């Protein structure tokens, strides 16, 4: 396998249905096909980003650019910038005015649901926010450009936030991953268009996850605990779980690469007894983070999961973001794996490609 840098300060966002990779690079949506830049679409940016966006540290500190994305079709993508969701026309370069999801609320992941009985097809996300009070949290569904509806609401006291929503064609349901603490760390099962939603597993950090895949054997997921040992699990239909891989840290990001599954470990703070300010200005990693390396794991149930690449976290506090590898949304059916190291010493904020 060969790993190399493709482009500096470039955020991989999502795959289009035709296989092109949409990335963000300081005021431009950049499209790649087979590793080559095929198009560049200007996107409006703030004065602050225009002034400071050349700096990797400023980009990390102020969270410039787009954090999550999903393709509507080959010409349109949904983009999350803070708590505003825009839609970009890749042909005209027109960026919609945007829809406000609420103060402090944003998607960690934009998920696509297609062909699940009782559910409307389309793009969904759950509210991701700092919510220690466990206020009600919504799941939203895209109806059209800048038009979102509430599909389901977790009542007060149920969860802190939503990590991910996974469509399961094998069991004709939708799985919801929530966090972070106590009973809020859970896996939920939704059927019949969210008319029936129930917790399948909860109350332990082994049920706290951000990345999961529906496969014929069950739900393949990785845990996201900064203060417990992390694993890759297979949750079977009877609710039992089997460890299929070990992780050296929590997992926030992952993707599917053809018939393989990809997870990355994170270097982050503990998060239990810290205020948001204390967490951000800390440099001390959580008890479940074994060392200062971000790792890339690739594998499957047959061959297991193996570390194929790692980079060391830089020396800066977590306000400059956790050490992580980020991936574009959508299934990658190409021959190359794209990812972006963040807050690492060697290739911070670069678009990387793994071939072979």
């Amino acid at each position: 396998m060969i790993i190399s840098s493709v482009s500096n300060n470039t955020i991989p966002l999502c795959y289009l249905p035709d296989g092109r990779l949409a990335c963000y690079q300081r005021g431009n949506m950049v499209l790649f096909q087979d590793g080559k830049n095929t198009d560049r679409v200007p996107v409006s940016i703030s004065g602050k980003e225009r002034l400071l966006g050349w700096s990797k540290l400023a980009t990390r500190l102020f969270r410039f650019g787009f954090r999550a994305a999903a393709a509507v079709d080959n010409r349109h993508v949904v983009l999350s910038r803070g708590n505003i969701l825009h839609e970009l026309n890749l042909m005209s370069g027109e960026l919609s005015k945007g829809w406000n999801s609420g103060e402090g609320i944003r998607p960690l992941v934009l998920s696509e649901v297609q062909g699940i009985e009782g559910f409307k097809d389309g793009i969904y996300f759950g509210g991701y926010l700092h919510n220690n009070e466990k206020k009600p949290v919504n799941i939203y569904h895209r109806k059209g450009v800048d038009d979102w509806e509430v599909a389901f609401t977790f009542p007060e006291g149920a969860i802190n936030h939503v990590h991910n929503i996974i469509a399961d064609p094998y069991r004709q349901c939708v799985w919801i991953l929530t966090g972070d603490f106590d009973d809020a760390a859970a896996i939920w099962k939704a059927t019949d268009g969210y008319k029936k939603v129930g917790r399948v597993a909860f109350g332990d950090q082994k049920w706290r996850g951000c990345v999961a895949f529906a496969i014929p054997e069950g739900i393949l997921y990785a845990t996201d605990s900064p203060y417990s040992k992390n694993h890759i699990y297979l949750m079977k239909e009877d609710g039992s779980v089997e460890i299929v891989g070990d992780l050296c840290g929590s997992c926030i990001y992952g993707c599917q690469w053809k018939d393989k599954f990809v997870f990355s470990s994170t270097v982050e703070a503990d998060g239990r007894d810290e205020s948001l300010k204390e967490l951000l200005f800390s440099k001390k990693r959580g008890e479940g983070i074994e060392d200062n390396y971000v790792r890339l794991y690739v594998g499957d149930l047959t061959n297991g999961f193996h570390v194929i690449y790692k980079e060391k976290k830089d020396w800066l506090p977590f306000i400059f973001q956790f050490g992580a590898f980020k991936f574009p949304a959508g299934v990658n059916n190409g021959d190359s794996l794209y990812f972006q190291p963040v807050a690492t010493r060697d290739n911070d904020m670069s678009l990387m490609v793994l071939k072979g």
Side-chain angles (χ1 to χ4, degrees):
M1 293 185 179
I2 300 173
I3 296 178
S4 59
S5 176
V6 176
S7 180
N8 291 327
N9 212 353
T10 302
I11 303 171
L13 290 173
C14 66
Y15 287 99
L16 304 181
D18 62 13
R20 287 179 296 166
L21 173 62
C23 300
Y24 177 78
Q25 185 186 63
R26 198 189 175 202
N28 291 282
M29 189 64 60
V30 184
L31 302 179
F32 290 91
Q33 186 139 34
D34 299 325
K36 297 180 181 179
N37 183 347
T38 62
D39 205 356
R40 182 177 293 267
V41 182
V43 181
S44 62
I45 59 176
S46 67
K48 181 187 287 187
E49 183 175 356
R50 189 172 293 107
L51 179 65
L52 301 174
W54 59 270
S55 166
K56 293 180 181 180
L57 293 185
T59 297
R60 284 163 49 185
L61 176 63
F62 295 109
R63 274 61 173 174
F64 289 147
F66 300 100
R67 306 291 298 282
V72 177
D73 51 41
N74 284 322
R75 297 186 175 189
H76 304 87
V77 291
V78 177
L79 302 167
S80 167
R81 179 156 54 188
N83 61 341
I84 308 295
L85 279 87
H86 299 274
E87 299 206 16
L88 176 66
N89 185 316
L90 294 171
M91 302 299 292
S92 67
E94 180 181 358
L95 188 69
S96 71
K97 291 182 179 179
W99 177 81
N100 191 322
S101 59
E103 185 176 355
I105 301 171
R106 66 176 178 89
L108 181 62
V109 178
L110 291 167
S111 302
E112 184 176 2
V113 175
Q114 295 284 345
I116 305 299
E117 185 176 343
F119 289 83
K120 298 177 183 178
D121 289 347
I123 298 170
Y124 290 78
F125 78 91
Y128 184 68
L129 65 160
H130 193 69
N131 184 21
N132 287 338
E133 304 84 3
K134 292 185 179 178
K135 296 177 181 179
V137 178
N138 293 328
I139 289 176
Y140 302 93
H141 168 248
R142 176 190 176 274
K143 295 173 63 179
V145 178
D146 294 345
D147 187 8
W148 295 76
E149 64 180 345
V150 175
F152 177 75
T153 300
F154 287 98
E156 185 171 355
I159 66 171
N160 302 115
H161 49 234
V162 175
H163 287 155
N164 205 345
I165 297 167
I166 298 96
D168 185 348
Y170 304 103
R171 285 152 284 271
Q172 283 296 300
C173 67
V174 167
W175 301 95
I176 310 165
L177 309 183
T178 65
D180 276 331
F181 309 108
D182 305 319
D183 288 353
I187 299 176
W188 303 68
K189 182 180 181 180
T191 54
D192 195 18
Y194 294 105
K195 292 179 181 177
K196 184 178 180 181
V197 179
R199 286 191 298 193
V200 173
F202 61 95
D204 190 284
Q205 288 292 289
K206 74 178 179 180
W207 308 116
R208 175 180 170 178
C210 294
V211 182
F213 306 96
I215 59 177
E217 296 84 353
I219 304 302
L220 181 70
Y221 74 98
T223 53
D224 164 45
S225 178
Y227 51 87
S228 301
K229 174 62 181 175
N230 288 276
H231 302 281
I232 302 169
Y233 286 101
L234 175 67
M235 185 176 75
K236 302 177 183 178
E237 292 206 31
D238 62 4
S240 63
V241 292
E242 172 188 344
I243 295 175
V244 295
D246 295 324
L247 299 172
C248 290
S250 53
C251 176
I252 301 176
Y253 305 105
C255 69
Q256 184 174 346
W257 180 24
K258 294 193 286 190
D259 59 347
K260 302 293 184 182
F261 301 96
V262 181
F263 302 95
S264 70
S265 63
T266 310
V267 179
E268 62 172 311
D270 191 289
R272 279 177 294 184
D273 302 315
E274 301 163 314
S275 67
L276 180 59
K277 182 178 179 180
E278 290 171 330
L279 183 148
L280 291 176
F281 284 94
S282 172
K283 292 199 289 186
K284 182 180 178 182
R285 64 179 187 266
E287 293 180 11
I289 315 301
E290 297 182 8
D291 57 29
N292 283 323
Y293 282 90
V294 181
R295 290 175 172 82
L296 184 64
Y297 299 80
V298 178
D300 55 32
L301 291 183
T302 301
N303 301 300
F305 290 85
H306 305 281
V307 176
I308 61 170
Y309 185 66
K310 67 179 182 179
E311 288 197 25
K312 194 170 186 179
K313 167 78 172 71
D314 64 17
W315 59 273
L316 292 166
F318 295 120
I319 193 171
F320 288 96
Q321 301 193 34
F322 299 156
F325 295 148
K326 295 183 178 181
F327 307 92
V331 178
N332 176 5
N333 289 312
D335 293 329
S336 301
L337 175 66
Y338 293 91
F339 64 98
Q340 182 198 40
V342 176
T344 59
R345 289 186 176 182
D346 295 331
N347 293 289
D348 179 38
M349 302 298 290
S350 294
L351 177 65
M352 307 291 290
V353 61
L354 182 154
K355 296 182 178 182

